[in-house]
Amino acid sequence: MNDYIKQWHNLILNCSFDNTYKMVWSKALVELSVNVSDEVDKDIIIFDFDDIAKLCLKYYWNQTIYFDLIQSPNLKKPPEILNHIKSLITHFFDAKNSVHPVRFEKIDFNRLQLIDKYEETVKRIITTLKKDVCWRFKILNSNTYDIYELDRKKGKVYFKRQDVLTLKQNSDLLFTFINYRWTQMLEGFNYSPRISRKVRAIDENNIKRVSLKKFHKYLDLMFEDSKRKCFYCGEEIEDSNLSVDHVIPWSYMFSDDLWNLVYCHKEENSEKSNRLPFEEDIIRLENRNIALLERMENATKEYDQLQMALEKNYVKQFWISFKG
């Protein structure tokens, strides 16, 4: 294991805790590293507290709105960040006039006229991260690990270029460490079952799958000669061997969205199972969605949903989110 990753491993698995702040902080930094290009030519990579806070909000939102998980051992004094997020969730329910939970990635706070509440929540999260989290994460047994530099006044985290690329290359391993440690913490705070699934904000109870044939008319728009081709191998598909696949597996999404659906051979669908796709498949799906939108009729529900998925970068956002 790389020495730099060993430091992260030690900090994540051996940290002391009275809440789960260190887990959201570390997970956000790793997720931001995934978005850094391998070709970046800067010696120092800067992550902004604003971006970190938005990711922390996403993690806590998805765990709280679905499962209301307790994030500290003191029931009378829950973490400040969690209180702010629960307040935002209350405003969200009021604006929707419904208590139906929705994943953070699918919410348009601007359209709900909640952008001020959202931005206020982000600012409050930043305040807590600066005060209590960013510097404490680096300390273990009175030793301070030199894994990044901080400017709390400006709200910046500074990484050496190679360190960020090392985080990116080892992101899957680090996400595993973080989720494992987070699960351990939550099991000490909650009596709720299946904590490990809820760390990733997914639950399979009472979720039914439906036929995907209704999407054929849209997916067919990509094939002017009516010869359907497999998204993965590029070969033509016989009708008897046709399957519609969720590129990001259904077991992660629990929803059927045009932006995530492609044609493929039945055997390739089965072989892929519920594994997350490689980045090259994600890039091809993004390009497919751009081309598909150009071929669809405007002013329809499906057009609007696909357009929103492109504008909000759903493919990359969900893929990175589920990697963690």
Side-chain angles (χ1 to χ4, degrees):
M1 186 186 297
N2 175 282
D3 286 342
Y4 186 69
I5 298 303
K6 282 183 180 178
Q7 293 184 67
W8 278 77
H9 175 270
N10 289 337
L11 288 168
I12 292 165
L13 294 188
N14 298 304
C15 68
S16 59
F17 61 89
D18 54 12
N19 56 49
T20 56
Y21 283 170
K22 291 180 180 178
M23 297 303 100
V24 293
W25 171 260
S26 58
K27 192 168 185 174
L29 293 177
V30 176
E31 181 165 337
L32 287 173
S33 76
V34 174
N35 283 313
V36 175
S37 170
D38 291 340
E39 307 302 321
V40 63
D41 59 1
K42 298 178 181 178
D43 293 331
I44 301 296
I45 308 299
I46 303 172
F47 293 157
D48 195 283
F49 270 67
D50 186 72
D51 295 324
I52 297 168
K54 289 173 181 175
L55 290 176
C56 294
L57 172 52
K58 176 182 73 171
Y59 306 144
Y60 277 143
W61 176 286
N62 288 336
Q63 287 190 20
T64 301
I65 200 168
Y66 282 96
F67 311 115
D68 198 20
L69 291 176
I70 299 167
Q71 301 287 343
S72 77
N74 190 343
L75 294 177
K76 295 182 179 180
K77 190 180 179 182
E80 289 181 358
I81 290 178
L82 198 63
N83 286 337
H84 301 323
I85 293 171
K86 284 187 173 183
S87 176
L88 183 60
I89 289 173
T90 298
H91 288 297
F92 169 75
F93 285 153
D94 289 343
K96 294 280 288 185
N97 195 27
S98 167
V99 293
H100 180 72
V102 179
R103 284 190 66 96
F104 179 83
E105 295 91 334
K106 289 191 172 185
I107 296 169
D108 187 337
F109 289 102
N110 194 45
R111 190 167 63 176
L112 292 170
Q113 297 184 331
L114 290 175
I115 193 65
D116 290 343
K117 297 292 184 183
Y118 166 72
E119 291 177 349
E120 179 184 352
T121 303
V122 171
K123 288 179 180 177
R124 289 177 172 176
I125 294 173
I126 289 173
T127 298
T128 301
L129 293 177
K130 287 181 178 180
K131 182 178 66 174
D132 296 327
V133 187
C134 62
W135 60 277
R136 283 181 174 161
F137 176 74
K138 301 201 301 176
I139 299 175
L140 180 63
N141 299 327
S142 300
N143 295 319
T144 300
Y145 284 61
D146 185 24
I147 55 173
Y148 53 71
E149 298 295 331
L150 290 166
D151 187 330
R152 285 196 277 172
K153 186 174 181 180
K154 292 182 178 179
K156 307 289 184 183
V157 186
Y158 300 92
F159 284 88
K160 297 174 185 175
R161 172 185 176 276
Q162 188 53 52
D163 289 345
V164 164
L165 295 181
T166 299
L167 286 181
K168 179 179 181 178
Q169 291 161 5
N170 292 272
S171 58
D172 289 345
L173 183 66
L174 288 167
F175 283 140
T176 300
F177 292 158
I178 294 166
N179 286 338
Y180 170 74
R181 187 60 166 135
W182 200 340
T183 300
Q184 282 189 315
M185 293 179 182
L186 291 175
E187 285 177 341
F189 306 154
N190 295 265
Y191 293 102
S192 175
R194 299 201 301 164
I195 292 294
S196 61
R197 282 195 175 276
K198 295 174 181 179
V199 167
R200 297 175 60 161
I202 59 174
D203 193 4
E204 298 181 29
N205 283 346
N206 302 316
I207 299 176
K208 298 180 180 179
R209 305 191 70 162
V210 298
S211 172
L212 300 176
K213 286 186 177 180
K214 64 180 180 179
F215 293 101
H216 284 199
K217 63 181 179 180
Y218 305 113
L219 298 177
D220 284 345
L221 294 174
M222 295 300 298
F223 308 101
E224 295 176 353
D225 56 4
S226 299
K227 294 181 179 179
R228 297 159 167 165
K229 294 182 179 179
C230 177
F231 177 78
Y232 299 107
C233 71
E235 298 295 324
E236 186 176 342
I237 311 173
E238 298 294 333
D239 289 347
S240 60
N241 198 21
L242 181 70
S243 177
V244 176
D245 181 47
H246 299 75
V247 179
I248 299 174
W250 183 87
S251 59
Y252 287 82
M253 298 285 298
F254 297 139
S255 66
D256 304 314
D257 303 288
L258 179 59
W259 58 265
N260 189 40
L261 298 176
V262 298
Y263 283 140
C264 71
H265 292 97
K266 287 182 179 178
E267 61 269 20
E268 291 188 68
N269 196 344
S270 298
E271 183 180 349
K272 175 173 171 279
S273 186
N274 65 346
R275 295 191 301 272
L276 283 171
F278 294 111
E279 187 171 10
E280 52 263 36
D281 290 330
I282 291 299
I283 293 171
R284 288 195 299 114
L285 180 60
E286 290 176 322
N287 292 332
R288 191 291 307 264
N289 286 339
I290 293 171
L292 180 56
L293 187 69
E294 293 175 350
R295 301 183 184 202
M296 290 178 64
E297 292 184 15
N298 200 342
T300 64
K301 177 183 177 182
E302 291 76 16
Y303 181 95
D304 291 343
Q305 289 178 343
L306 183 56
Q307 184 179 49
M308 179 178 291
L310 285 166
E311 289 174 352
K312 293 186 172 294
N313 197 21
Y314 277 174
V315 173
K316 183 65 72 67
Q317 292 281 354
F318 277 102
W319 179 67
I320 293 176
S321 177
F322 292 131
K323 276 170 67 70

